[in-house]
Amino acid sequence: MAGILKRPGFPGRRHVVRGTSLLVTLALTFLGLLLVTFLIGRVVPIDPVIAMVGDRVSADTYQRIRQELGLDLPLWQQFLRYVGDVLRGDFGESVLTSRPVLEDIARVFPATLELATAAIIIGVTLGVPAGVVAAVNRGRWPDHVIRVLGLIGHSIPIFWLGLMALLVFYARLDWAPGPGRVDVFYEGLVEPVTGIITVDALLAGETDVFWNALAHLVLPASILGYYSVAYIARMTRSFMLDQLRQEYITTARVKGMSETRVIWRHALGNIAVPLITVVALSYASLLEGSVLTETVFAWPGLGLYITNSLLSADMNAVLGGTLVVGAVFIGLNLLSDLLYRLLDPRAR
Amino acid sequence: MTTAHAWLTTETPHSRTQARLGRIYIGWLTFARNRLAMMGLGIVLLLVLMAALAPVIAPYDPYTQDLANRLMPPSAAHWLGTDAFGRDILSRILYGSRLTLMIVALVAVTAPVAGLLIGTVAGYLGGWVDTVLMRVTDVFLAFPKLILALAFVSALGPGIENAIIAIAITSWPPYARIARAETITIRNSDFISAVRLQGASRVRIILGHVVPLCTSSLIVRVTLDMAGIILTAAGLGFLGLGAQPPAPEWGAMIATGRQYVLEQWWVATMPGIAIFVVSLGFNLLGDGLRDVLDPKAS
């Protein structure tokens, strides 16, 4: 193997080398992530022993549990132990739910996934056309309108927008259902298979539940999606401007091709690859926005889980949740990187 | 006016100061032509004025409770209404601008400076120093900012000081990246070699020659980030992890108004508008500054 790799003519060699260095980078980043959550866990002013068994235990029991948790070991040994635990999928037990944190996260994660996916669908279907329109009408009013709408999106506190949306569309106009994933009436009607209610309802053939869940999804997903619309539109605009300057666009126009075809097929087709990486990155940032959105809409996902655990000082749950979000973030970054290399011949 | 204009725009400045002032003046003219950017500047100046004059212009004390007048809708006596303790919302928003300004100012003087130092040192020295520092930067970038800030606040305990620390800790990596990229392009230029040949130490080169050249792009980035800082701080306040009651922090005010939002809408609405206007101001200002200081980007 090593012999093949050393031969300069071997075409895959560069890939292997690059792949290895990517893996090393990934492992180091993940280790750094673990170090950060570990250190945060150590500086917490909460005594983990007391958090677990309460402050009414004898000194002997206290010492015994302290030793069991490994808190008497030197810091670096504690860290190794922590890394080992996490790799085995042991994030400790949640004080709040008294269940393993990983089990809790597995239960709440699909709700966040559902919300973020709906939001990214909205973000792409509105953001890409908006960016194209802005680029084509550069410097004219559609461009300005889209730019200002984007700036507004970057300036509104998402939790406030959510509250206002509930006030207007739920309380006043009664167009949208209230907080939560389904009406109380429908709760528990569908067996959770994927954990994504809309999908589960369709699998079970419960169309009533599906429409209800979808109605509940519209408001939070639109608000969360607004943020990615602004970002996706801005990036699409700048990619499109680059393309529209190219000579092949002039050639296509000279050939008499319709303007619609030139813009939406030729130019847009060529920015598909960088756009995919943008979408992957904004999908990752939706995870962040979901923390506040879920709080406002009482959406039982990872964000609400983290904030609830925070307020009751449930550190295992907070750090476990943080770690999962960080890992997903790294994963999406890697995915966008890989997709770019895979799809763009120039990056190979 | 015309003489000042002529003095500033002359093609043959007589002193370094005149040339420098002239450049600033021309930058200002470009900036002033951008109506949205001027609006942003106006909003930011208004915020500073509000914060400075809060005790003079606020009609009521922001902390005094008046339970007879709780949850009153906007009226002549209380322009923006009163909250659940009968406190005047306008006065609380005016005083809250001090907290907002404090958070923004403290984060804006700590995080970029840290990022600048880390980035220039990594970029100038290169080698393993660069590798280690950038690896650390990558780890911090790998976390979503708000989630990392949440985790830090949970470790340090809720409160406005800890919220500021948490936001600063999570904000420096992008600045380090920018500063490093700029440093690498500057590092091999002739004037740096000249200074090095004169025997200047590394510290002197980095602090005296590299850092000043990186600041202008950093200022643009900081202004653009201020809206984000305000929103993160408000988000932490909303979750109960930032400023604690009875402090008139805008995010925390929205959180307390939340339970009344369906009936007494003004309690949560008014502070939200304040956050929105101020963030928009910083965004417009940053956008305008970018056009002046960094014409390539627009």
Side-chain angles (χ1 to χ4, degrees):
Chain A
M1 188 70 193
I4 303 174
L5 285 181
K6 269 186 195 139
R7 211 183 305 148
F10 174 63
R13 179 172 174 263
R14 239 182 35 214
H15 286 288
V16 175
V17 171
R18 217 186 265 168
T20 324
S21 86
L22 196 68
L23 277 181
V24 170
T25 312
L26 201 68
L28 279 177
T29 315
F30 191 68
L31 208 63
L33 197 77
L34 285 170
L35 188 62
V36 172
T37 49
F38 171 74
L39 289 178
I40 290 176
R42 290 308 113 165
V43 296
V44 176
I46 306 162
D47 187 324
V49 180
I50 291 179
M52 218 171 118
V53 292
D55 52 0
R56 290 168 176 276
V57 288
S58 65
D60 286 349
T61 329
Y62 181 89
Q63 282 308 327
R64 191 171 49 78
I65 293 172
R66 208 176 129 78
Q67 270 172 22
E68 271 174 25
L69 291 174
L71 293 170
D72 52 339
L73 299 171
L75 211 55
W76 66 271
Q77 282 186 17
Q78 287 188 38
F79 178 61
L80 287 185
R81 222 176 130 137
Y82 175 70
V83 174
D85 282 348
V86 169
L87 290 182
R88 265 184 282 115
D90 178 7
F91 290 19
E93 207 166 80
S94 158
V95 181
L96 200 62
T97 62
S98 34
R99 266 191 301 245
V101 169
L102 197 67
E103 216 174 84
D104 277 346
I105 291 177
R107 191 168 37 82
V108 296
F109 194 69
T112 300
L113 195 68
E114 185 176 28
L115 183 60
T117 308
I120 201 74
I121 292 173
I122 294 173
V124 173
T125 46
L126 295 180
V128 172
V132 172
V133 170
V136 173
N137 295 292
R138 187 188 186 186
R140 288 197 291 273
W141 68 265
D143 189 17
H144 293 307
V145 168
I146 288 163
R147 183 176 168 190
V148 169
L149 280 179
L151 272 177
I152 291 176
H154 279 291
S155 311
I156 292 192
I158 192 167
F159 51 96
W160 180 75
L161 193 62
L163 277 179
M164 292 300 114
L166 277 177
L167 170 65
V168 174
F169 295 110
Y170 164 60
R172 293 288 145 90
L173 297 173
D174 201 21
W175 288 358
R181 290 178 84 186
V182 280
D183 285 353
V184 184
F185 178 69
Y186 290 111
E187 228 155 82
L189 270 186
V190 232
E191 194 68 29
V193 183
T194 57
I196 299 170
I197 284 200
T198 43
V199 176
D200 287 345
L202 282 182
L203 287 179
E206 298 271 2
T207 42
D208 284 5
V209 184
F210 170 75
W211 288 114
N212 187 260
L214 197 65
H216 274 269
L217 190 57
V218 169
L219 217 49
S222 314
I223 284 173
L224 194 54
Y226 183 25
Y227 285 74
S228 49
V229 170
Y231 177 63
I232 292 174
R234 202 179 68 223
M235 298 310 283
T236 307
R237 177 183 181 273
S238 80
F239 292 151
M240 278 299 279
L241 285 177
D242 276 349
Q243 291 300 322
L244 292 176
R245 272 195 284 269
Q246 308 276 331
E247 282 174 0
Y248 76 89
I249 294 288
T250 320
T251 314
R253 281 180 182 150
V254 169
K255 279 199 312 191
M257 197 176 279
S258 77
E259 195 61 18
T260 326
R261 210 179 150 81
V262 169
I263 291 162
W264 296 93
R265 285 291 284 276
H266 283 62
L268 190 62
N270 271 322
I271 64 166
V273 174
L275 263 188
I276 286 173
T277 64
V278 166
V279 171
L281 289 181
S282 56
Y283 194 68
S285 69
L286 285 179
L287 280 176
E288 185 168 18
S290 72
V291 173
L292 290 163
T293 318
E294 286 178 6
T295 313
V296 173
F297 286 93
W299 193 265
L302 188 56
L304 194 64
Y305 179 71
I306 292 179
T307 47
N308 279 344
S309 316
L310 263 175
L311 294 176
S312 44
D314 187 353
M315 282 318 284
N316 280 343
V318 172
L319 294 179
T322 312
L323 205 58
V324 167
V325 173
V328 173
F329 218 65
I330 295 178
L332 283 170
N333 272 304
L334 177 74
L335 187 72
S336 81
D337 201 42
L338 287 179
L339 279 177
Y340 188 79
R341 284 181 194 185
L342 204 68
L343 298 176
D344 192 338
R346 282 167 303 180
R348 269 179 220 146
Chain B
M1 185 62 210
T2 42
T3 48
H5 178 83
W7 185 76
L8 284 166
T9 52
T10 175
E11 298 264 317
T12 50
H14 293 292
S15 67
R16 220 195 264 198
T17 329
Q18 187 183 356
R20 205 173 279 163
L21 284 176
R23 270 193 51 198
I24 294 174
Y25 178 68
I26 287 170
W28 163 253
L29 287 182
T30 323
F31 182 82
R33 228 180 295 139
N34 185 340
R35 243 179 287 159
L36 284 177
M38 286 302 279
M39 206 169 94
L41 183 66
I43 293 172
V44 173
L45 288 180
L46 205 68
L47 174 76
V48 175
L49 269 180
M50 261 170 70
L53 299 177
V56 185
I57 50 177
Y60 297 88
D61 182 275
Y63 297 105
T64 311
Q65 303 186 2
D66 175 11
L67 294 178
N69 279 318
R70 55 193 298 268
L71 298 170
M72 296 297 274
S75 64
H78 299 278
W79 288 4
L80 302 182
T82 62
D83 69 3
F85 295 100
R87 296 173 297 201
D88 181 53
I89 293 177
L90 174 64
S91 307
R92 286 177 68 74
I93 289 180
L94 286 172
Y95 274 92
S97 65
R98 297 184 150 195
L99 293 175
T100 302
L101 207 60
M102 180 179 90
I103 295 168
V104 169
L106 283 177
V107 174
V109 296
T110 50
V113 172
L116 187 62
L117 284 180
I118 293 171
T120 45
V121 167
Y124 187 77
L125 297 182
W128 65 268
V129 179
D130 185 28
T131 313
V132 170
L133 287 179
M134 283 303 114
R135 190 59 62 232
V136 173
T137 313
D138 282 345
V139 169
F140 277 85
L141 279 174
F143 273 112
K145 250 172 85 173
L146 181 68
I147 306 243
L148 188 58
L150 281 179
F152 272 112
V153 174
S154 70
L156 301 168
I160 194 162
E161 299 85 5
N162 291 341
I164 293 171
I165 295 173
I167 297 173
I169 292 178
T170 53
S171 313
W172 64 267
Y175 305 121
R177 274 286 183 82
I178 296 171
R180 176 177 176 269
E182 296 242 334
T183 307
I184 286 175
T185 60
I186 299 168
R187 183 175 58 185
N188 296 323
S189 46
D190 290 343
F191 78 94
I192 294 286
S193 312
V195 182
R196 199 183 297 138
L197 283 174
Q198 283 175 344
S201 68
R202 285 172 177 175
V203 178
R204 197 188 168 93
I205 294 174
I206 291 176
L207 290 182
H209 297 275
V210 179
V211 165
L213 285 173
C214 298
T215 29
S216 86
S217 53
L218 228 58
I219 288 176
V220 175
R221 183 62 201 245
V222 171
T223 325
L224 282 170
D225 282 353
M226 281 187 179
I229 295 169
I230 293 174
L231 292 181
T232 310
L236 288 176
F238 177 73
L239 293 174
L241 298 166
Q244 297 297 304
E249 197 271 324
W250 296 343
M253 284 169 73
I254 296 178
T256 52
R258 190 180 163 191
Q259 56 190 113
Y260 312 105
V261 73
L262 298 187
E263 298 300 322
Q264 288 85 19
W265 53 271
W266 56 89
V267 186
T269 308
M270 301 305 178
I273 295 176
I275 301 175
F276 166 59
V277 171
V278 170
S279 324
L280 189 64
F282 275 111
N283 270 332
L284 292 174
L285 180 67
D287 236 34
L289 276 182
R290 182 172 50 190
D291 291 347
V292 175
L293 294 175
D294 188 12
K296 274 178 307 195
S298 60

